[in-house]
Amino acid sequence: MAEATVNTSAAPAAATGARAHEPSFVYLVKDALATGAIALALAFPLVGFRTVDRGSTTIIETRFGQMFLGVAVIALGRFAFSLIDAGYARAILAGSGVLSVAWLLLVAVDPGGAAIFPLGWMSWMLVVSVALRAAYVSWGDRSEARGDAVSPGDRVAATVQRLAVFFGPVLLLFAIAMPLLPMADQRWVDLGILVLTYVMLGWGLNVVVGLAGLLDLGYVAFYAVGAYSYAIIAKTFGLNFWEALPMAGGLAAMFGVLLGFPVLRLRGDYLAIVTLGFGEIVRVVLLNWNELSNGPKGIGEIPRPSFFGMPFTPAPPQGVTSFHQWFSAHLWEIGFSPIQRAVYLYYIILLLALLTNIFTLRIRKLPIGRAWEALREDEIACRALGINPTNTKLTAFAIGAMFGGFAGSFFATRQGFISPESFNFIESAIILAIVVLGGMGSQIGVVIASIVLIGGPEWFRDLESYRMLAFGGLMVLIMIWRPQGLLAFREPTILLKPKAGPP
Amino acid sequence: MLQVQGVHTFYGRIEALRGVDIDVKEGEIVALIGANGAGKSTLLMTICGSPRAAEGRVVFDGQDITRRPTHEIMRSGIAHAPEGRRIFPRMTVLENLQMGALAAKPEHFNEDMERVFGLFPILKSRQGQRGGTLSGGEQQMLAIARALMSRPRLLLLDEPSLGLAPMIVKHIFQIIRDINRATRATIFLVEQNAFHALKLAHRGYVMVNGKITMAGTGQELLANREVRAAYLEGGH
Ligand SMILES: Nc1ncnc2c1ncn2[C@@H]1O[C@H](COP(=O)(O)OP(=O)(O)OP(=O)(O)O)[C@@H](O)[C@H]1O
Ligand SMILES: [Mg+2]
């Protein structure tokens, strides 16, 4: 096979470093300039001006410096990318690699040095992204020349999936031990809670999107329903968290069925649009139905979770033992600290997330779970096999919504205050991004994607206002290298001989 | 066992079936041949209830199933291997078989699996492979095997020879005969490959433009001059 392709014109070129055709520099320069011109046309109104509030008047400031800088970066980046594609990948790799290392060294010598560069850390990230692309092109071409069907990314993903057998428990042990580690301060535990909340939401949405293949852009609606149900039930009936939780989950599941009915016959884009609308409707209703939801002011003083009836407060009312008093009396002496409640919340969300995961792993092996996956693959074949698509879709919506509702209840009890503000479309988008980036249907992928997407912006905090830009850049990079998601490698649910893995 | 009586089926305003009568008896292999667009696939799908017959009746085992929901029909002893195989590409061979077994009792699974592996040994050696990476012939075998997993008394096959090499076609038809002999399953088969289909079948029907124009035993139709001219000339 390899010999047969040598005679085609592309093969020798690929073998000698991918110099597909001699690039005309004039053409590349023109191309880069044209890109810059388009960027300029876009940036002129968007970046070039900004409005500033000066007391009673609004004035317009110009930012042409920043604008030209950005345009220059885009044109240069385009030029670098076309050089890479024209067969100079190695040269660009060397150049950008040296530049980025030099940049790091400079900053290491003088920590304030990053400020010299016009975009701070961003300039480094840009150079690194060029280097990564160059590396990818030179490596990617090589594996093609060898005739490998499976890309290196796929092999890594398959390995990670297989290692998940060991990696999963390690991650779990870390998650259990994390709040007890010496480095775990309030910030760490809070970040852990945040990441775990999104892991749970990701796992819940994974049932709908990953397994059943129903693109749901309004998942935040169920998160909101869960949060408001919990807040209202707990406040009105004086129930505690564990009593109100199943009711909130059940209500969210009912909303899942409610959404499911009208969209039964929709697929793909149309389904996405209707679910998006559903998410907005729920938010707008919450915003306007003052009697129920207290409108934009939101609901406050939501009961905080208590540890078997013991609250986490420094000075509990007469006759009530608070957690730290009980702990001091029975185990060892501790004072009150707000971190105790944070740690408790952390374990609650860990437990809820694990429940979601175990449930999903189990149900994948049951007929209903298999029907979900089959429905994602081929609805007509499903019908021919006696699957009832209506029930199958509705259960997927209901169960996904139920987990969203649980997560919402947790959110409400953790915050103590909720308002429609917290349930914007952007939340749906983030949760969906977690599922898609994780590789639809991959459980461990959701964990990794949550850590990257939720933890990432926190780690990029030093970048200050460029934080979201860096975050967006990271997403673009993932989309370039793993458009199918980080771990899009489906584990079979049934193997006859335990050792006989997929070939 | 299966009677189709005066069935009309519409796609919007297009009348795809215009009064079709078919009778399939227990234990038979019956072939339906016809040109592209004649309505053969539509007939099989109408038997399964989607699309639904606008007029006429479909009777299976003495019961009128014309208005039953598809998923109930498929659980009442009819299996359909639809046109174009339609296996689940991301699922393994074994998982595909499992999906086929949803309509059967779970305790039969191992026995049924051994049975289809006996019919299609190649599938046994490929059981961990993803359906989408099987060859066309293997996919067709998987589609038939998957349909068999529900223990059907009536098996509807839509163009099992579609896109297969002559050697494989022969093999598949041999297996269809084996299925009919071994499991006593009744088989209603739609085919473009009229020669093989009529040679295999006990009886056959010819469909033109949504109507049955001829019926007879396989041998009769094979010998018929019109059939020869329309469906058999130009090699087989
Ligand atoms: N979903 C549909 N919507 C509208 N028209 C359809 C649909 N499916 C089939 N038809 C039309 O119905 C007629 C019969 O189609 P059918 O698929 O039953 O033909 P067929 O005999 O199976 O042909 P082939 O041998 O090519 O598979 C054709 O004219 C086709 O265009
Ligand atoms: Mg057809």
Side-chain angles (χ1 to χ4, degrees), chain B residues 26-27 115-116 119 148 151-153 155 176-187:
Chain B
E26 181 116 38
R115 192 161 51 87
V116 299
L119 287 167
L148 284 174
R151 305 201 145 196
R153 282 171 294 129
L155 181 59
I176 293 173
R177 179 171 310 196
D178 290 348
I179 292 169
N180 175 253
R181 288 204 180 130
T183 66
R184 306 298 312 147
T186 310
I187 294 173

Side-chain angles (χ1 to χ4, degrees), chain A residues 179 189 193 241-242 304-310 312 323 338-350 410:
Chain A
V189 178
I193 293 174
F241 178 71
W242 297 107
R304 312 305 304 265
S306 57
F307 187 75
F308 295 103
M310 289 175 281
F312 292 87
F323 173 75
I339 199 172
Q340 288 155 8
R341 176 195 281 154
V343 170
Y344 180 56
L345 282 168
Y346 177 91
Y347 283 118
I348 292 180
I349 187 64
L350 183 61
F410 173 80

Side-chain angles (χ1 to χ4, degrees), chain B residues 40-41 83 158-159 190:
Chain B
K40 307 181 295 295
S41 302
E83 186 169 13
D158 199 337
E159 300 204 31
V190 161

Side-chain angles (χ1 to χ4, degrees), chain A residues 57-100:
Chain A
T57 57
T58 303
I59 59 162
I60 291 181
E61 267 185 3
T62 56
R63 297 192 288 183
F64 291 131
Q66 274 155 300
M67 182 186 75
F68 282 116
L69 205 70
V71 169
V73 166
I74 288 170
L76 275 176
R78 172 73 181 198
F79 190 56
F81 273 80
S82 9
L83 280 182
I84 290 171
D85 288 338
Y88 294 91
R90 301 285 160 76
I92 298 284
L93 176 61
S96 53
V98 167
L99 252 172
S100 52

Side-chain angles (χ1 to χ4, degrees), chain A residues 434-503:
Chain A
I434 286 173
V435 173
V436 173
L437 286 186
M440 310 262 242
S442 165
Q443 295 291 93
I444 197 98
V446 164
V447 178
I448 295 173
S450 303
I451 294 173
V452 172
L453 289 192
I454 306 302
E458 296 298 314
W459 291 322
F460 289 139
R461 211 160 264 277
D462 300 337
L463 296 174
E464 288 168 7
S465 50
Y466 293 111
R467 185 162 73 106
M468 289 322 276
L469 194 54
F471 173 65
L474 192 68
M475 299 250 303
V476 170
L477 288 184
I478 294 176
M479 281 306 161
I480 291 175
W481 281 298
R482 301 280 309 157
Q484 67 278 59
L486 292 173
L487 295 181
F489 181 86
R490 197 184 153 273
E491 269 304 310
T493 57
I494 167 176
L495 294 172
L496 264 202
K497 304 173 209 95
K499 288 277 181 279

Side-chain angles (χ1 to χ4, degrees), chain B residues 11 14 16 34-43 45 83 158-159 192:
Chain B
Y11 290 112
I14 303 169
N36 291 116
K40 307 181 295 295
S41 302
T42 305
L43 176 59
M45 295 192 296
E83 186 169 13
D158 199 337
E159 300 204 31
Q192 289 285 345

Side-chain angles (χ1 to χ4, degrees), chain B residues 10-78:
Chain B
F10 291 81
Y11 290 112
R13 294 178 52 211
I14 303 169
E15 186 171 10
L17 298 184
R18 314 198 230 174
V20 174
D21 295 283
I22 296 259
D23 189 9
V24 179
K25 299 199 176 61
E26 181 116 38
E28 270 188 324
I29 302 181
V30 175
L32 174 67
I33 59 173
N36 291 116
K40 307 181 295 295
S41 302
T42 305
L43 176 59
L44 289 196
M45 295 192 296
T46 306
I47 293 170
C48 298
S50 92
R52 222 164 267 294
E55 258 177 71
R57 299 202 315 154
V58 180
V59 179
F60 176 61
D61 265 353
Q63 295 194 22
D64 188 341
I65 59 168
T66 325
R67 309 261 151 239
R68 284 221 202 135
T70 302
H71 60 96
E72 275 181 28
I73 296 174
M74 305 322 291
R75 283 166 187 261
S76 66
I78 299 182

